[in-house]
Amino acid sequence: MRRRDVGRGAALAVVLGLAGSVVAAPAVADEPAAGPAWGACPKDVVTKVAALRCATVPVPLDYREPEGGQIEIMVSRLASKNPGKRRGVLMLNPGGPGGSGLSFPDDLAWFGIPASVLDSYDVIGMDTRGIGHSAPVSCGFTAEQGHLGNIPPYAVDEAAVTEQAKNAKAVAEQCAANDKDGRLRHVSTANMARDLDRIRAALGEEKMSFLGYSYGSALGAAYASMFPERSDRIVLDSNIGDTHLDQDGIRRYALGAEETFPDFARWAAARHESYGLGRTPEQVRKTYFTLAERLDTTPVNGVDGRVFRLATFAGLYGKTKYGLTAQLWQSVRDGDPAAAEQLAATPAPTDNSWSVFLAVTCNDVEWPSDVRTYQRAVAEDRERYPLYGAASANITPCAFWPHEPAEPPVAVDDKGPANVLVLQNRRDPVTPHRGGELLDEKFGDRSRLVSVDGSGHGVYVLGDNACALSTTTSFLVDGTLPKRDMPCT
């Protein structure tokens, strides 16, 4: 579940017992004394409207040994231009895990985040540990390896799950073999939250505010739970439902696809004269299955139904993608060779981004290791969620991950201040509305849920709902938390 280059409009992601010998890391290590030295950002941090400055903050590689090895986290800053109104710092996370966030302050400025927010905060982006300029990790993935991504391939039957298990095991072994410096096991949500607190301290702030999208909702929930009294105003947008992504969380992708697909189907049906995909939403849905099943049996230039389903799922991330998705369907239907080329050219995640996604997802929580467990899940979800259930329920490399979780996943703390705003579209393909409900339920009186009658991935600034924009801006600027959960229609 991931949002890459979100500011450029391109979207595109078990309670365990510890062994007696494992000691959980402390909440935070000794705080650094010196502030960061701001300077020019790396050349690959491309901006369009904002003047960003970058710096690094040292943090322990292993918080259980805070005096041991250190790594550096690179952060960026879009400074407030109105010191008289400045409240503090607003830290950002664009999602992933595995998404670079150094340019994200500029992304939100380009999308039109209200000036009152930019006046109120120094907006802080960052590459979280393992990503980009922050001690990057690598599993050594190459483009030639085929299906790489944070969603397993669609499994047409039990044999397909067995085949995917072989691939998943090979990926996990590849990550272990490439982890030469031993950093991979320390890339986790809990450690990223501890890093946030080190950055807060380095910036000289008693508290920090936070705005996180998609996986960023998990990171923000973890910080608000681990450091409740140091959290100021926390906005969690497009929620995965907890502080970590587990098997149930990934399986909810299929629920999101079912809830969001009707929006695309209605759009396409209204444009049947242009695309010819069906005059009614029901006919459009039937066309989807016809095309996918045709590619299952007769791939075109190596492109099969798995890739077609993944491309369609990605097309549900926002209405701006509907036209391209319809055009793709049209080309597949008409046997256009260019369709296969277009599908094959769909950009795969980079080695670094997918390595981080796996490290965080697999390190945060213990995953089932029995292949039969996933075969049963695939069979169940193929029936419950026929659009995409047999993909999101399929087996991942986490089933064979070389490292056991170093500590339990962060538990959501409902005992802190009432300072958490949960934003959620009612129709979101990757983080369905249920994820927002779950997180709101876990925070109890600490949070309020804003349910937006919208479609796609991303609400605040990235969406187009005036009610959600105003409610969130009022919270960030004035601290006005809604009195109760509320709809935005």
Side-chain angles (χ1 to χ4, degrees), residues 162-191:
T162 302
E163 185 63 27
Q164 169 60 13
K166 297 176 184 177
N167 297 333
K169 187 172 187 292
V171 166
E173 291 171 347
Q174 180 176 341
C175 288
N178 279 273
D179 187 24
K180 305 297 185 183
D181 51 15
R183 290 204 302 261
L184 206 61
R185 70 184 64 196
H186 300 294
V187 180
S188 68
T189 298
N191 281 340

Side-chain angles (χ1 to χ4, degrees), residues 312-334:
T312 298
F313 178 76
L316 301 178
Y317 269 59
K319 292 181 180 178
T320 58
K321 294 180 172 292
Y322 286 1
L324 183 61
T325 303
Q327 183 186 68
L328 176 63
W329 283 30
Q330 192 178 37
S331 298
V332 170
R333 181 202 62 201
D334 297 342

Side-chain angles (χ1 to χ4, degrees), residues 267-346:
W267 182 95
R271 294 160 178 80
H272 176 74
E273 298 304 324
S274 296
Y275 296 106
L277 302 179
R279 296 184 181 278
T280 66
E282 292 75 18
Q283 290 176 355
V284 173
R285 183 179 176 93
K286 182 178 180 180
T287 299
Y288 170 81
F289 289 110
T290 298
L291 296 177
E293 291 165 7
R294 179 197 301 173
L295 289 171
D296 284 338
T297 57
T298 311
V300 178
N301 293 343
V303 173
D304 57 20
R306 298 176 299 177
V307 179
F308 173 76
R309 290 179 176 93
L310 176 61
T312 298
F313 178 76
L316 301 178
Y317 269 59
K319 292 181 180 178
T320 58
K321 294 180 172 292
Y322 286 1
L324 183 61
T325 303
Q327 183 186 68
L328 176 63
W329 283 30
Q330 192 178 37
S331 298
V332 170
R333 181 202 62 201
D334 297 342
D336 184 350
E341 296 178 5
Q342 185 178 344
L343 284 169
T346 300

Side-chain angles (χ1 to χ4, degrees), residues 223-306:
Y223 186 86
S225 298
M226 295 172 68
F227 307 99
E229 299 308 320
R230 297 178 192 171
S231 64
D232 190 9
R233 295 167 184 173
I234 308 297
V235 179
L236 309 179
D237 190 320
S238 305
N239 299 266
I240 69 174
D242 212 319
T243 64
H244 58 277
L245 186 63
D246 58 13
Q247 186 188 19
D248 288 340
I250 287 187
R251 289 177 73 176
R252 279 195 292 273
Y253 293 4
L255 170 62
E258 293 288 347
E259 292 178 340
T260 310
F261 185 85
D263 287 352
F264 169 74
R266 283 190 293 269
W267 182 95
R271 294 160 178 80
H272 176 74
E273 298 304 324
S274 296
Y275 296 106
L277 302 179
R279 296 184 181 278
T280 66
E282 292 75 18
Q283 290 176 355
V284 173
R285 183 179 176 93
K286 182 178 180 180
T287 299
Y288 170 81
F289 289 110
T290 298
L291 296 177
E293 291 165 7
R294 179 197 301 173
L295 289 171
D296 284 338
T297 57
T298 311
V300 178
N301 293 343
V303 173
D304 57 20
R306 298 176 299 177

Side-chain angles (χ1 to χ4, degrees), residues 34-60:
W38 298 101
C41 293
K43 293 182 179 179
D44 61 351
V45 181
V46 180
T47 62
K48 297 187 72 170
V49 297
L52 301 181
R53 303 288 281 174
C54 288
T56 58
V57 175
V59 302

